[in-house]
Amino acid sequence: MPNLSQWVAGARPRTLPLSIAPVIAGSATAYAGGSFKVVPAVLALVLSVALQIGVNFANDYSDGIRGTDADRVGPMRLVGSGVARPGLVKRAAFGCFGLAGILGLVLLVLSWQWWLIPAGIASILAAWFYTGGKHPYGYLGLGEVFVFVFFGLVAVCGTTVVQLGRIDLATLLVAIAVGLLAVAVLVVNNLRDIPGDRVAGKRTLATRIGAPATRVLFTGLAVGAAVAYVITAAVAGWWALLALVGIGYLVPQLVTVLRGAVGRDLIPALKAAGLACLISSIGLAVGLIIGAAIG
């Protein structure tokens, strides 16, 4: 039985900025639209974090039973390391998904946005089948597409709509920016894991296109997010450019990646990408609040 510190490590807390950032960003655009609501925002935050932890446990379980985690460079995995029985980790994953589902239903009751039910179901299915099931899409090079959709478009727009009741252009642009930065985290993670994933037969996008192209893709995602935030500023007010602080924070690691860092040398880039997503969302929120205050 894992102890508390091992459960915390298995939950991979360093990935949580990816679940926090879209809620901050979506709440910021709701505020700019004139309808920030504390209770739905908090519920959306807890839901997003629960879903993220559930994804992490599900990946731990599925990769562990497949042997993909037998030789990892990254953080400790519960099943792969033998610390926890697979069934226990699987139950933890579904417990998190269950909590996310309950909170989602509460949000739907509060907002009356019942059309979000399919999005919620799809989010949980996507979380499980990333590495779960007979044909996990994470092993087919499709992980980046689903991360962009669910950590960007669905998470940001869903957070906004349960508060504001609609999705405007600024929200869509911000969702694109957050989604691109979330994809950047997965891309640099998979860049680091190319050698082990090839041995294990895990055909991620990085193993398919190779390390050089993956390094360029990582940089392109950051540039794309910056462009999306600049366009957002043109739509929602130039104070939104404070979101670019997060991109600036990532720049030194973009240089490191482009220079050919491998293995553990990519861990700082992985951490920076996650924090850049969070910092950008905070910068956007501060900018939109300032813009509303002086506008």
Side-chain angles (χ1 to χ4, degrees), residues 98-185:
L99 175 60
I102 292 170
L103 293 173
L105 288 175
V106 174
L107 274 172
L108 289 172
V109 170
L110 291 176
S111 66
W112 290 93
Q113 298 292 331
W114 296 99
W115 62 272
L116 286 174
I117 289 178
I121 294 172
S123 296
I124 293 175
L125 291 176
W128 174 250
F129 287 106
Y130 175 60
T131 54
K134 293 183 179 180
H135 303 288
Y137 64 85
Y139 283 52
L140 301 174
L142 298 174
E144 287 77 5
V145 174
F146 282 80
V147 165
F148 176 75
V149 170
F150 290 102
F151 283 86
L153 300 183
V154 172
V156 174
C157 293
T159 299
T160 300
V161 80
V162 297
Q163 298 178 64
L164 185 61
R166 58 185 173 83
I167 299 169
D168 55 20
L169 178 57
T171 300
L172 182 59
L173 290 166
V174 169
I176 290 171
V178 172
L180 291 175
L181 289 174
V183 172
V185 175

Side-chain angles (χ1 to χ4, degrees), residues 23 27 36-48 103 107 163:
V23 177
S27 296
F36 171 73
K37 297 178 180 178
V38 174
V39 172
V42 172
L43 289 173
L45 178 61
V46 178
L47 184 160
S48 186
L103 293 173
L107 274 172
Q163 298 178 64

Side-chain angles (χ1 to χ4, degrees), residues 4 27 48 51 83 89 116 127 159 234 241-242 263 266:
L4 179 60
S27 296
S48 186
L51 195 57
V83 168
V89 177
L116 286 174
T159 299
L241 288 176
L242 286 176
L266 286 168

